Amino acid sequence: MGNAYLNTELVDKAIKFAVDAHANTERRGKGFPYVIHVLEAMEIVATITKDPELLAAAALHDTVEDTDVTVDQVRAEFGERIAKLVDAETTGMVDGLTETESWRMRRESSLKRLAASSRDAKIVAMGDKLSNMRAIAHDYRQIREELWNRFHAPNGKLDYAWYYQGLGDALKDLANTDAHCEYCELFRKVFG
C-alpha cells in the first residue's frame, strides 16, 4: 500500500525554486549545500502546521536575503501571502556600514519586527531559527568557543546569547510547540 495522495504542487515548486536560488552555495562553515538548511526549516514548520503556503515560505525564507531573488519575484511566482512571509524573514544590510558594524542594529530591528509579526510569520521564523540553533549547538559541542569566530557579531558569544534569547522571547507565542521547547533546550545547552 502506497502513501495517500496529497497535492504537493506548491511545496514542490517552492523547493525547486529554493534549490535553484541557492545552487552552488555552502552553509557557512559546514561543507554541505545551503539548501539543506532550507529543507530542515521546512521540516520544522511541518511539525507545527500542514499549511502548504507556510511550508513554501519556509523553503523560500532565505532566497531574498541570501541570493539575487527579490520579493517581487517571490510574489510573482508564489503570491502575496508567501511573499510577505519571506519578506518578514529578510534582514537587509545597512548602507555605509559593514556586516559587523551593523550587526546589532540589524538584529534589534529584526527582533522588534518578529515580536510584532503574525503567528504565521512566527511559525516560518521558528523553522529557520531552530535550524540555526541546532547547527550552533552541534558546532558548539565540536569546537566550543572557537565557533564564535565564524560569525560577524562584534562581541561573539555575548551578542549571540542576547540575540537568541531575544528570538526565544519573540517566538513565545509558539511555546506550546515541540519546536519552541527544543529551541529553548538547545539555547540553555549552548548559552547556559
Side-chain angles (χ1 to χ4, degrees):
M1 181 173 186
N3 293 326
Y5 174 80
L6 179 67
N7 182 346
T8 62
E9 185 177 335
L10 178 65
V11 173
D12 294 346
K13 180 180 176 183
I15 291 168
K16 181 171 181 351
F17 190 94
V19 166
D20 291 344
H22 294 288
N24 301 312
T25 58
E26 175 192 7
R27 179 82 160 136
R28 187 184 309 205
K30 298 299 211 176
F32 58 71
Y34 190 89
V35 75
I36 291 173
H37 160 67
V38 168
L39 296 173
E40 180 180 30
M42 189 175 65
E43 182 275 330
I44 292 165
V45 168
T47 69
I48 303 170
T49 182
K50 305 306 178 224
D51 183 330
E53 290 187 326
L54 269 64
L55 296 172
L60 299 166
H61 80 271
D62 274 341
T63 56
V64 173
E65 184 171 320
D66 293 339
T67 76
D68 293 334
V69 172
T70 67
V71 173
D72 288 337
Q73 288 173 298
V74 173
R75 184 177 292 108
E77 290 290 325
F78 297 97
E80 186 64 30
R81 182 179 181 216
I82 293 172
K84 283 184 177 180
L85 291 167
V86 170
D87 193 36
E89 266 292 286
T90 302
T91 303
M93 293 301 294
V94 177
D95 290 336
L97 297 177
T98 68
E99 194 169 349
T100 300
E101 291 168 339
S102 66
W103 189 91
R104 181 92 177 199
M105 183 186 320
R106 290 181 294 118
R107 296 311 183 281
E108 285 173 349
S109 174
S110 177
L111 289 173
K112 286 179 188 172
R113 191 172 65 245
L114 182 58
S117 290
S118 69
R119 180 175 173 82
D120 287 350
K122 289 178 182 182
I123 290 170
V124 173
M126 184 82 257
D128 175 32
K129 306 317 181 195
L130 176 54
S131 175
N132 290 342
M133 182 54 72
R134 285 175 178 174
I136 287 169
H138 174 270
D139 291 351
Y140 188 70
R141 284 190 303 270
Q142 303 297 315
I143 61 174
R144 307 304 290 175
E145 300 305 319
E146 188 173 315
L147 169 65
W148 312 112
N149 297 331
R150 187 180 293 168
F151 302 107
H152 298 282
N155 298 307
K157 186 176 183 178
L158 290 175
D159 283 340
Y160 279 95
W162 164 81
Y163 177 59
Y164 278 90
Q165 176 67 52
L167 288 171
D169 293 343
L171 295 169
K172 66 184 175 201
D173 295 354
L174 304 176
N176 65 333
T177 66
D178 289 341
H180 192 273
C181 293
E182 180 183 352
Y183 179 93
C184 293
E185 180 181 325
L186 291 173
F187 176 88
R188 285 189 295 275
K189 287 181 179 178
V190 172
F191 298 107

